[in-house]
Amino acid sequence: AQSVTQLDSQVPVFEEAPVELRCNYSSSVSVYLFWYVQYPNQGLQLLLKYLSGSTLVKGINGFEAEFNKSQTSFHLRKPSVHISDTAEYFCAGYGGSQGNLIFGKGTKLSVKP
Amino acid sequence: DAGITQSPRHKVTETGTPVTLRCHQTENHRYMYWYRQDPGHGLRLIHYSYGVKDTDKGEVSDGYSVSRSKTEDFLLTLESATSSQTSVYFCAISRQGSNYGYTFGSGTRLTVV
């Protein structure tokens, strides 16, 4: 089955600490992969995307993600988080039955002072 | 922003009443989507459109219908609202044949009482 799996539903972390949000995708999902961020009471905005080329992708707000084909993973990282990074993060890839984007269930990142 | 607006932003309605949500874009993108977001489920595709009067069902289409009479407008109708349709609804747009992901609206929070 086509799926995008986010391994952690919640990740608490202290300010200025590094963070990794994990995402795995099934082999039937296209390797066009995305991370979206959703701040409270807002829509989703694109954080970064992998289409091809370098496996390390840099996005906005200091986030980066690494595409790993052998492990079918696309983990999101930030070396030092801020309070303002508190949000829900969604991993997504093309693979729905209609060729649409399918989303993981989200990871809530909570940054504590 | 990318020129996509949803209306209304919030709505409370009674069980059994019809409800229509509107998505309007100014980007002239061919593809439009309706997703619902529920805790623990991430985003799930309800319906999508690949052109004027061309629509198709997503994974959770029961109880919903859509219409697209103009490129810029995509309407989602709940014919007879039920409490299980209480959710946050997001509209998204994408370019034709694009692997650049979707652009999302700000969402409509619908409560069915």
Side-chain angles (χ1 to χ4, degrees):
Chain A
Q2 300 161 328
S3 66
V4 173
T5 303
Q6 292 183 242
L7 300 170
D8 305 292
S9 60
Q10 297 188 54
V11 173
V13 64
F14 287 105
E15 192 174 19
E16 298 184 3
V19 70
E20 178 180 80
L21 306 184
R22 298 179 294 167
C23 173
N24 285 96
Y25 61 93
S26 63
S27 57
S28 55
V29 170
S30 163
V31 293
Y32 299 122
L33 299 164
F34 306 82
W35 275 99
Y36 284 85
V37 59
Q38 184 181 32
Y39 299 104
N41 299 314
Q42 295 186 26
L44 282 74
Q45 59 179 276
L46 184 64
L47 200 56
L48 51 78
K49 58 181 181 274
Y50 174 78
L51 302 179
S52 64
S54 173
T55 57
L56 185 62
V57 180
K58 295 190 183 296
I60 61 172
N61 300 338
F63 283 92
E64 61 183 30
E66 185 164 15
F67 170 69
N68 189 317
K69 187 175 182 179
S70 62
Q71 296 186 11
T72 60
S73 67
F74 190 53
H75 300 334
L76 181 70
R77 301 186 182 103
K78 186 169 183 178
S80 176
V81 294
H82 303 289
I83 298 288
S84 59
D85 292 322
T86 294
E88 190 160 17
Y89 293 79
F90 292 92
C91 184
Y94 281 100
S97 56
Q98 291 82 20
N100 54 284
L101 271 181
I102 55 175
F103 289 83
K105 294 184 178 180
T107 298
K108 290 186 177 179
L109 176 64
S110 175
V111 182
K112 304 174 187 296
Chain B
D1 286 347
I4 175 171
T5 55
Q6 292 183 233
S7 59
R9 290 296 311 277
H10 302 272
K11 186 170 182 66
V12 179
T13 193
E14 292 186 350
T15 298
T17 60
V19 177
T20 296
L21 310 183
R22 181 183 186 233
C23 178
H24 178 78
Q25 60 145 331
T26 58
E27 302 298 310
N28 201 36
H29 285 349
R30 178 179 174 185
Y31 292 89
M32 299 184 76
Y33 308 84
W34 277 108
Y35 283 85
R36 61 178 288 175
Q37 182 181 25
D38 303 288
H41 291 276
L43 282 87
R44 294 178 291 175
L45 182 66
I46 305 171
H47 281 279
Y48 70 104
S49 170
Y50 45 94
V52 174
K53 298 186 180 180
D54 291 324
T55 65
D56 208 344
K57 296 178 179 180
E59 62 178 307
V60 291
S61 60
D62 288 348
Y64 302 95
S65 62
V66 291
S67 66
R68 191 169 178 199
S69 59
K70 299 184 290 185
T71 298
E72 57 266 36
D73 289 324
F74 191 32
L75 304 180
L76 176 71
T77 297
L78 290 67
E79 301 292 345
S80 178
T82 68
S83 58
S84 65
Q85 294 176 311
T86 292
S87 186
V88 181
Y89 292 85
F90 285 101
C91 177
I93 60 176
S94 69
R95 301 174 188 169
Q96 179 176 353
S98 170
N99 290 314
Y100 293 95
Y102 300 166
T103 301
F104 284 85
S106 298
T108 295
R109 183 173 297 274
L110 177 68
T111 302
V112 184
V113 298

